[in-house]
Amino acid sequence: MKVLVTGGTGYIGSHTCIQLIEQGYTPVVIDNLCNSKEMVLDRIEQVTGVRPTFMQGDIRDSAFLKRVFAKHSIDSVIHFAGLKAVGESVEKPLKYYDNNVSGTLTLVSEMDLAGVKSLIFSSSATVYGDPASVPIKEDFPTSATNPYGRSKLMVEECLRDFQQANLDWSITLLRYFNPVGAHESGLLGEDPQGTPNNLLPFVAQVAVGRREKLGVFGNDYNTPDGTGVRDYIHVVDLADGHLAALDKMKHQPGTHIFNLGTGQGNSVLEMVHAFETAANRPIPYEIKPRRAGDIAECYADPTYAEAHLGWKATRDLQTMVEDTWRWQSQNPNGYQ
Ligand code: NAD
Ligand code: WQD
């Protein structure tokens, strides 16, 4: 079965390609390489023995997508391609609406023309805004606190409307919590360009000596140690969640929504200390003011995914930080 993977050379897409290949699927990767490198394909081949078919191009380019669908008989699409930097989205909102919203609309139009009616979309826990309580269930109210989050929410709503008008389609919205970790081989991992926005890549770069110290954004939240609490999920567990969604939902018309998280919250300082143990070195940090837009606590109720997809995260915090460290220490400058 051929699965089109948009954004397939990116962080989550590349790990999903490995799981797809290992479970007998044939991924066809498209990516414009705006935030990833073609070398990722070499690494996927090193791990699996299979080099995925790759076509470089942009999801906003309908002529390109027509060529992709004409060349390959695609059964389903897993759609990762998108921009994800919250801060940049505040400065350049139109870039985010164009790439994430228009890009998805173009992709869905071309799927429709090609008769491909099964889509899995990368949504985010950011669509819950500042939740009234935790753990978060799928039916909690949604809201956006920045243009990136609003682009995810807009796409969710567009896809829901589209599915209502096209009842034979299966659309699955996967709301990821905080993806971390790397492939256990140490060959694939997260490779942010410039200063990392997210906690674990920053910690990993401090550990490997690329940065002097971590800034901890606030220690006065109403949490056990005062620092922010998140639901960190291993990227390979997340990838497996996509395979479960593909397997279970492909032939189930409807709009399906699942949280992909572990259900466990960990604080910034717990993450720092776990990483210190994995890397066997201290991670210098200093307490800084709260980061604008941050919330105190965010973690999933993952029971709906377990009940309906037969999936749950299995990799623990220690595995997440050990795998991140293996990737970072073996590739101190990322994919070079
Ligand atoms: P990533 O940047 O590593 O991967 C995204 C890939 O999409 C990159 O390879 C990039 O080059 C490609 N891309 C971007 N715009 C494109 C376009 N117009 N046409 C073709 N390719 C394009 O990011 P990731 O962490 O792997 O995230 C994948 C998806 O999951 C994104 O949609 C992101 O918003 C979503 N998500 C990520 C997180 C996270 O924390 N990493 C959390 C929730 C949701
Ligand atoms: C985690 C915790 C920070 C960096 C973001 C997006 C969200 C989703 C996942 C895509 C928070 C603290 C961080 C640092 C710190 N992405 N922190 N120092 O903010 O939960 O979610 O990524 O959909 O939309 O908003 O993740 O990793 O940035 O932060 O103290 O240098 O670490 O304050 O408590 P976040 P994060």
Side-chain angles (χ1 to χ4, degrees):
M1 186 172 129
K2 271 195 184 175
V3 180
L4 181 67
V5 183
T6 78
T9 47
Y11 172 47
I12 306 169
S14 58
H15 289 82
T16 304
C17 283
I18 290 179
Q19 301 309 100
L20 283 168
I21 292 167
E22 288 184 344
Q23 296 200 25
Y25 292 94
T26 304
V28 174
V29 171
I30 62 172
D31 202 299
N32 66 2
L33 301 179
C34 71
N35 197 37
S36 58
K37 304 219 170 69
E38 208 168 339
M39 182 201 268
V40 169
L41 300 165
D42 303 338
R43 299 292 178 90
I44 295 173
E45 187 176 6
Q46 259 179 280
V47 171
T48 64
V50 175
R51 188 178 185 82
T53 301
F54 175 58
M55 292 175 75
Q56 184 175 344
D58 197 296
I59 55 164
R60 291 164 296 181
D61 178 350
S62 50
F64 165 69
L65 293 176
K66 281 187 205 307
R67 288 199 298 281
V68 172
F69 286 113
K71 189 161 179 200
H72 298 281
S73 173
I74 301 292
D75 296 289
S76 286
V77 176
I78 308 184
H79 174 33
F80 295 104
L83 301 175
K84 61 168 182 177
V86 172
E88 186 193 44
S89 82
V90 175
E91 283 159 30
K92 298 176 181 167
L94 296 187
K95 182 175 172 184
Y96 277 68
Y97 295 130
D98 178 40
N99 201 83
N100 295 2
V101 183
S102 300
T104 302
L105 299 186
T106 305
L107 173 69
V108 172
S109 300
E110 293 304 324
M111 286 174 67
D112 199 27
L113 290 173
V116 181
K117 297 170 188 232
S118 155
L119 173 69
I120 295 176
F121 172 65
S122 299
S123 189
S124 167
T126 192
V127 301
Y128 296 114
D130 190 353
S133 63
V134 281
I136 300 169
K137 284 182 182 290
E138 285 83 352
D139 61 1
F140 274 29
T142 54
S143 66
T145 51
N146 56 67
Y148 166 73
R150 196 161 293 113
S151 76
K152 290 290 172 192
L153 212 45
M154 283 179 180
V155 170
E156 283 203 359
E157 286 167 359
C158 292
L159 291 178
R160 221 189 298 245
D161 288 344
F162 178 78
Q163 200 283 327
Q164 280 292 303
N166 295 274
L167 293 172
D168 54 346
W169 273 60
S170 166
I171 297 187
T172 305
L173 313 176
L174 298 179
R175 295 176 175 163
Y176 314 155
F177 281 68
N178 288 57
V180 295
H183 193 262
E184 63 176 3
S185 62
L187 289 168
L188 291 104
E190 190 169 6
D191 181 19
Q193 309 300 303
T195 308
N197 299 307
N198 295 115
L199 177 66
L200 220 60
F202 202 109
V203 169
Q205 290 193 9
V206 173
V208 85
R210 274 173 72 179
R211 303 194 184 268
E212 192 195 337
K213 61 181 161 189
L214 170 75
V216 172
F217 299 142
N219 67 348
D220 57 353
Y221 287 104
N222 185 18
T223 60
D225 66 18
T227 64
V229 167
R230 298 289 183 275
D231 183 335
Y232 297 94
I233 175 169
H234 195 293
V235 64
V236 177
D237 277 330
L238 194 60
D240 284 339
H242 291 72
L243 271 84
L246 190 61
D247 185 38
K248 291 281 191 316
M249 294 298 143
K250 183 177 172 329
H251 298 296
Q252 302 251 18
T255 303
H256 314 287
I257 303 180
F258 297 101
N259 285 340
L260 295 186
T262 65
Q264 185 178 326
N266 285 105
S267 74
V268 175
L269 292 181
E270 282 173 331
M271 297 305 286
V272 169
H273 296 319
F275 209 96
E276 287 179 324
T277 305
N280 193 25
R281 63 193 64 193
I283 308 287
Y285 68 84
E286 71 176 325
I287 305 297
K288 294 250 185 96
R290 291 181 178 193
R291 182 172 64 179
D294 271 357
I295 58 178
E297 278 192 298
C298 175
Y299 55 92
D301 179 335
T303 52
Y304 189 71
E306 188 176 355
H308 294 271
L309 299 179
W311 167 92
K312 70 172 179 175
T314 59
R315 291 164 180 83
D316 63 10
L317 190 60
Q318 205 53 35
T319 308
M320 297 181 211
V321 290
E322 281 170 6
D323 288 346
T324 305
W325 177 237
R326 190 175 308 107
W327 153 253
Q328 187 71 67
S329 53
Q330 289 179 14
N331 306 268
N333 296 308
Y335 294 107
Q336 289 279 332

